[in-house]
């Protein structure tokens, strides 16, 4: 069982984790968001080049299992279940999302966001997520909020997203865990 931090193809993301953890903590503080009671079910990477995504995939295959591979918003996205977790604050992520580059250019290659599960009706996700964030935090310069509904080819559950970013890192909120979404993709029609 390989530890992800020791795999050569993942050296850059191993080195990037302290930066990401610090930036995520700073964003949560700016938003007056207490992350301690929240369930975040996976962490995600971002890259600019297909070669980087392919290298990370090769590395993740050495320390985990491919859980899902899907086309979402016209690009491949892989989910891996790691043998050893990625630790950020109190969270221990065993699921890593690896999207291939898309249209948007991100300011940094490496860890980009965590996804927080807020169980409940999909229609009320935005209100429930925004209740956790201070108005003063949301009004700060550089903070932006975006809603979307990404959908995989076989997804059967509505999976709205509310994303809050400072341009460095992002907190995303969903009504379902990624494992519930993957199970919905694999369910019989």
């Amino acid at each position: 069982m390989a530890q992800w931090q020791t795999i050569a193809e993942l050296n850059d993301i191993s080195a990037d984790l302290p930066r990401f953890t610090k930036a995520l903590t700073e964003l949560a503080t700016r938003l007056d968001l207490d992350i301690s009671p929240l369930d975040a079910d996976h962490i995600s990477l971002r890259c600019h080049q297909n070669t980087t995504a392919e290298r990370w995939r090769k590395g993740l295959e050495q320390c985990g299992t491919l859980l899902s591979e899907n086309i979402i918003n016209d690009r491949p996205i892989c989910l891996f279940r790691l043998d050893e977790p990625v630790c950020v604050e109190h969270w221990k992520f065993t699921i890593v999302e690896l999207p291939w580059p898309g249209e948007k250019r991100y300011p940094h290659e490496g860890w980009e966001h965590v996804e927080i599960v807020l169980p409940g009706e999909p229609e009320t996700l935005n209100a429930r997520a925004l209740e956790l964030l201070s108005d003063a935090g949301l009004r700060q310069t550089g903070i932006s909020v975006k809603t979307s509904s990404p959908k995989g080819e076989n997804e059967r559950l509505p999976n709205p997203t509310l994303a809050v970013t400072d341009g460095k890192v992002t907190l995303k909120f969903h009504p379902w865990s990624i494992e519930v979404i993957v199970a919905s993709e694999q369910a019989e029609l």
Side-chain angles (χ1 to χ4, degrees):
M1 179 163 55
Q3 294 184 341
W4 69 272
Q5 305 93 325
T6 63
I7 295 172
E9 290 86 351
L10 304 178
N11 281 345
D12 52 346
I13 62 173
S14 181
D16 187 48
L17 193 59
R19 175 213 59 91
F20 176 77
T21 301
K22 181 177 185 287
L24 191 73
T25 302
E26 289 170 356
L27 176 59
T29 300
R30 287 181 70 188
L31 297 169
D32 295 321
L33 175 65
D34 179 8
I35 62 171
S36 61
L38 299 176
D39 175 28
D41 73 332
H42 69 282
I43 186 169
S44 185
L45 294 160
R46 288 293 186 260
C47 60
H48 304 311
Q49 299 177 26
N50 288 338
T51 54
T52 303
E54 289 159 11
R55 175 173 50 85
W56 288 346
R57 179 183 180 140
K58 183 178 175 191
L60 292 167
E61 287 172 340
Q62 295 175 55
C63 61
T65 306
L66 181 66
L67 184 65
S68 171
E69 185 170 1
N70 212 335
I71 301 295
I72 299 175
N73 296 336
D74 300 321
R75 65 191 172 140
I77 296 184
C78 292
L79 295 173
F80 287 91
R81 182 185 311 282
L82 301 185
D83 299 329
E84 295 285 326
V86 176
C87 298
V88 175
E89 291 294 336
H90 67 289
W91 294 311
K92 295 182 183 329
F93 296 103
T94 55
I95 308 250
V96 172
E97 177 182 342
L98 172 58
W100 263 238
E103 296 295 316
K104 182 175 178 183
R105 292 279 300 176
Y106 288 85
H108 177 81
E109 286 194 304
W111 301 109
E112 195 269 338
H113 72 262
V114 298
E115 301 206 12
I116 296 168
V117 180
L118 294 179
E121 293 299 319
E123 301 78 26
T124 65
L125 174 74
N126 290 353
R128 290 183 288 112
L130 291 170
E131 282 177 14
L132 300 172
L133 311 171
S134 76
D135 290 342
L138 290 169
R139 285 194 302 265
Q140 289 181 42
T141 302
I143 299 291
S144 64
V145 177
K146 178 184 172 191
T147 59
S148 63
S149 290
K151 189 164 174 54
E153 290 179 294
N154 299 316
E155 272 181 32
R156 289 172 179 76
L157 294 172
N159 194 26
T161 303
L162 183 120
V164 182
T165 188
D166 62 1
K168 298 177 200 163
V169 294
T170 303
L171 289 161
K172 291 188 175 186
F173 299 89
H174 290 279
W176 312 105
S177 75
I178 195 66
E179 292 186 83
V180 169
I181 294 297
V182 169
S184 82
E185 293 170 353
Q186 297 168 349
E188 293 292 322
L189 289 174

